[in-house]
Amino acid sequence: MQAASWFMGVCPTEPVFRQYRFGQLRDLLLEYDLDGVWMDYVHWHAQFEEPEPILPETCFCDHCLDNFSKDSGIEIPDGITSKKALWILNNHDESWRNWRCEVIYDWTYEIKRIIKEIKPEALLGLYHCPWDDQEFNSARRRILGLDYNLLKETIDVFSPMVYHRRMGREPAWVKENIRWFSNRLNIRKDSYPKVWPIVQAYNNPGIISNKEFETVLKGGLAGKSSGVMMFTTSAVAEDEGKTEVMKNVYTHN
């Protein structure tokens, strides 16, 4: 299986990387008066922004295997990494998937804890894969480790990355997805967590027309959404037509 075509993720259990990122967050919160911090691509390595996503089984490094064994109480047989991985997947798949979700949740928990310590009024947001619970054989949870039942305990604002053209979807899919997501998490506009999707304005792949951009912007405000963003803001700022579409949608919705 192809590992990636344009980026490679970092193992989320790597302790030095974790502390490095948490230190960066502390510096950011201490230096700037922020209203919120958004996490981007916080999941186990996979490339979901494709019509046919790249979904490798990860990660079986020593940190992951040791932590999984310790946390689950499951003793992993000796052998080369590939044999250990197959043994886990064949014998303890459910425990493995649950543990991986807990690892991602722990990132959000620690980040939320640091935010509350330094800037308690600031929001914690998450840019994330927008798949529903069944797509690609439940890959959002199974491969990426994104468990909404856990994440809703720490995330203030969910921002599904509903990049329709990049994912090979029709513009109407954005509205359908945000309606599903609102129901899935029982989102309410008068309480947290909130949903503020991010839609595609960037002309790659293809050209996003003004009409298409209007459709996905309005779709991002479907369900119980209380806000919408676009990727990228420069793609809107550099296009007078899209700028007018954005102004009209923001003014009348």
Side-chain angles (χ1 to χ4, degrees), residues 164-165 200-210 212-213 239 242:
H164 69 289
R165 184 71 72 91
Q200 183 177 351
Y202 187 65
N203 293 326
N204 186 11
I207 302 297
I208 307 297
S209 68
N210 293 342
E212 193 171 334
F213 181 51
D239 186 318
K242 287 176 181 172

Side-chain angles (χ1 to χ4, degrees), residues 108-131:
T108 71
Y109 178 88
E110 288 298 320
I111 290 173
K112 183 67 170 288
R113 183 182 62 79
I114 293 169
I115 291 173
K116 293 305 179 186
E117 173 190 331
I118 300 174
K119 190 79 64 176
E121 69 280 6
L123 299 175
L124 176 59
L126 175 67
Y127 292 118
H128 61 94
C129 175
W131 295 338

Side-chain angles (χ1 to χ4, degrees), residues 82-141:
S82 59
K83 288 188 176 181
K84 292 179 180 179
L86 285 175
W87 184 85
I88 291 171
L89 296 176
N90 289 333
N91 295 280
H92 296 283
D93 187 75
E94 183 177 1
S95 296
W96 175 249
R97 306 298 175 185
N98 291 341
W99 175 79
R100 294 169 81 256
C101 290
E102 291 281 354
V103 169
I104 300 302
Y105 167 75
D106 185 63
W107 270 85
T108 71
Y109 178 88
E110 288 298 320
I111 290 173
K112 183 67 170 288
R113 183 182 62 79
I114 293 169
I115 291 173
K116 293 305 179 186
E117 173 190 331
I118 300 174
K119 190 79 64 176
E121 69 280 6
L123 299 175
L124 176 59
L126 175 67
Y127 292 118
H128 61 94
C129 175
W131 295 338
D132 66 27
D133 293 337
Q134 283 76 45
E135 289 183 80
F136 301 103
N137 190 23
S138 305
R140 191 201 72 242
R141 187 182 190 280

Side-chain angles (χ1 to χ4, degrees), residues 180-216:
W180 171 84
F181 185 83
S182 297
N183 290 330
R184 172 65 172 80
L185 270 72
N186 193 28
I187 299 293
R188 296 177 54 185
K189 290 187 178 181
D190 61 351
S191 64
Y192 290 97
K194 297 183 182 296
V195 54
W196 300 346
I198 181 166
V199 303
Q200 183 177 351
Y202 187 65
N203 293 326
N204 186 11
I207 302 297
I208 307 297
S209 68
N210 293 342
K211 181 62 177 176
E212 193 171 334
F213 181 51
E214 180 181 24
T215 298
V216 297

Side-chain angles (χ1 to χ4, degrees), residues 56-67:
E57 291 284 3
T58 63
C59 169
F60 299 95
C61 71
D62 289 342
H63 291 302
C64 285
L65 295 179
D66 290 345
N67 289 345

Side-chain angles (χ1 to χ4, degrees), residues 3-58:
S5 63
W6 61 273
F7 82 100
M8 180 63 71
V10 178
C11 174
T13 69
E14 212 293 317
V16 176
F17 178 71
R18 281 173 57 90
Q19 293 309 310
Y20 170 69
R21 279 305 203 192
F22 295 155
Q24 284 186 314
L25 175 61
R26 288 181 177 277
D27 292 342
L28 190 70
L29 292 168
L30 290 170
E31 184 172 355
Y32 299 100
D33 185 17
L34 300 178
D35 293 320
V37 174
W38 259 245
M39 298 177 291
D40 195 7
Y41 268 61
V42 180
H43 56 75
W44 292 89
H45 176 67
Q47 195 166 315
F48 67 84
E49 294 180 29
E50 310 288 348
E52 294 298 328
I54 300 172
L55 303 172
E57 291 284 3
T58 63

